[in-house]
Amino acid sequence: MLRGLLSIMALLLLTLAPAASAQKRIALTFDDTPRSVGAFFTKQERSARLITELKKARVAQAAFFVNPGNVRATADEALVESYVRAGHVIANHGFSHPHLNQSSVAAYLADIDKAEAWLKPRHGYRPWFRYPFLDEGGSDKAKRDAVRAGLAARGLTNGYVTAEGSDWNLEQLTIDAKKAGKTIDMAGLRDLYVETHVEAADFADALVIKAIGRSPPHVMLLHETDLAALYIADLVGALRADGWEIVTADTAYADPLKTAAPDVPSANGTLTELLAWEKGLLAPRWYARNDLKIANAFFAERVLHEKPAP
């Protein structure tokens, strides 16, 4: 009798094991390093605080996608190196952050090569390229395929994104409000920043499961902003409370999704959107607050305590 009960318990444990491994996982990545000055900090103050807050939040490794064309002084170079010393990694976001749909293939690949020449000799380098603006050529499939082939020839893989909440827009709205002398509700801004990105992650996970039948390790798009420096620890805490495990970018980009090359009418946006489109899932395939009209209304109401524009 006892042996039979033990056998049943063992079977139950085996049945439950896959559910335990299905925990939501996400890596944090930051674009546009080194970014221009924001609303509250110098560039050096921002990077130092971001490093401190990531450490406080027990984030072992984030990825910083670098635009070497923005490295215009020794202090900028030291800023990039400080991320690597803290255990994070760096990758290619283009030398000058060009739009593919506004560039020739030759010029675009030359811009990538120029960034690679700066990045590749450095500690912490990873062979990932993230398309600026997540623009993979739009509806120009010949251009899209030529750049995909160019990346493969260079040993670069797509530094894709699966989840995003347009944090760059929240940052710009904050900069504009500060310049205009408006009162900024910092607690409201924190809550909006955190809530937006947790919701974006959950939306992306639900959508990608519909598209590919599983929950991969996600990649969240953030930017090296003052808001990240202020609130990244709050965001990490909220993600964990929502059931997310923070993983390294190395873990995320080891997933089989690294070879995904969706064939859709217009190649731009997150990989989640492209996979869902390729699968035939109906729009909207993007998180609601990536519609700036919606996002701006939330900011006006909750951060500035103004009536949103009609």
Side-chain angles (χ1 to χ4, degrees):
M1 181 70 174
L2 179 59
R3 183 177 299 172
L5 287 172
L6 290 174
S7 297
I8 292 170
M9 290 176 65
L11 183 61
L12 285 171
L13 287 172
L14 286 172
T15 304
L16 290 171
S21 65
Q23 180 179 10
K24 300 181 294 186
R25 296 161 293 161
I26 196 161
L28 304 181
T29 66
F30 298 87
D31 276 9
D32 300 352
T33 301
R35 196 169 168 86
S36 58
V37 174
F40 306 111
F41 305 122
T42 67
K43 290 189 285 187
Q44 285 68 37
E45 288 170 341
R46 177 177 59 216
S47 63
R49 181 177 177 117
L50 188 48
I51 288 168
T52 297
E53 294 301 306
L54 285 167
K55 183 177 181 180
K56 183 189 299 182
R58 295 176 286 110
V59 176
Q61 182 210 82
F64 289 82
F65 284 83
V66 180
N67 301 123
N70 289 341
V71 179
R72 299 187 177 94
T74 303
D76 293 334
E77 187 170 356
L79 184 155
V80 175
E81 291 172 351
S82 69
Y83 291 125
V84 176
R85 286 197 304 273
H88 306 299
V89 297
I90 55 176
N92 193 330
H93 195 37
F95 188 85
S96 63
H97 202 270
H99 253 301
L100 178 52
N101 64 22
Q102 297 173 6
S103 307
S104 69
V105 171
Y108 195 82
L109 292 174
D111 193 81
I112 291 172
D113 290 339
K114 193 172 181 181
E116 281 292 286
W118 192 91
L119 286 159
K120 206 166 184 178
R122 298 176 185 275
H123 294 298
Y125 164 81
R126 295 292 189 272
W128 307 325
F129 171 72
R130 176 166 293 165
Y131 290 85
F133 308 101
L134 302 184
D135 168 17
E136 296 184 44
S139 59
D140 189 334
K141 291 193 175 186
K143 182 180 285 188
R144 177 201 70 186
D145 291 344
V147 171
R148 285 179 177 177
L151 294 179
R154 289 160 172 77
L156 293 169
T157 56
N158 182 7
Y160 61 83
V161 170
T162 61
E164 73 132 341
S166 296
D167 69 319
W168 59 270
N169 182 55
L170 290 177
E171 171 84 352
Q172 190 58 55
L173 291 171
T174 303
I175 291 171
D176 293 345
K178 184 84 179 299
K179 286 181 177 177
K182 295 184 177 182
T183 299
I184 298 171
D185 181 342
M186 298 300 289
L189 180 57
R190 176 199 62 216
D191 293 347
L192 183 60
Y193 179 88
V194 170
E195 174 189 286
T196 295
H197 289 92
V198 174
E199 284 190 3
D202 286 336
F203 175 87
D205 194 50
L207 185 61
V208 80
I209 289 171
K210 290 179 184 177
I212 66 172
R214 67 185 178 92
S215 176
H218 283 269
V219 179
M220 176 168 279
L221 170 57
L222 299 166
H223 289 75
E224 188 208 43
T225 63
D226 288 8
L227 300 192
L230 285 167
Y231 305 131
I232 194 65
D234 297 295
L235 173 56
V236 169
L239 285 166
R240 288 190 175 122
D242 191 50
W244 289 91
E245 175 189 358
I246 310 301
V247 299
T248 65
D250 283 334
T251 296
Y253 287 137
D255 189 85
L257 277 184
K258 67 184 179 182
T259 63
D263 184 13
V264 293
S266 184
N268 53 280
T270 69
L271 182 59
T272 306
E273 294 171 41
L274 302 185
L275 290 168
W277 199 357
E278 185 178 50
K279 180 71 172 179
L281 300 179
L282 298 178
R285 294 174 291 268
W286 49 89
Y287 172 52
R289 293 185 196 178
N290 289 325
D291 179 333
L292 299 191
K293 185 175 181 180
I294 294 173
N296 293 356
F298 274 112
F299 184 88
E301 182 179 359
R302 295 173 54 177
V303 178
L304 302 181
H305 301 294
E306 295 176 347
K307 184 177 180 180

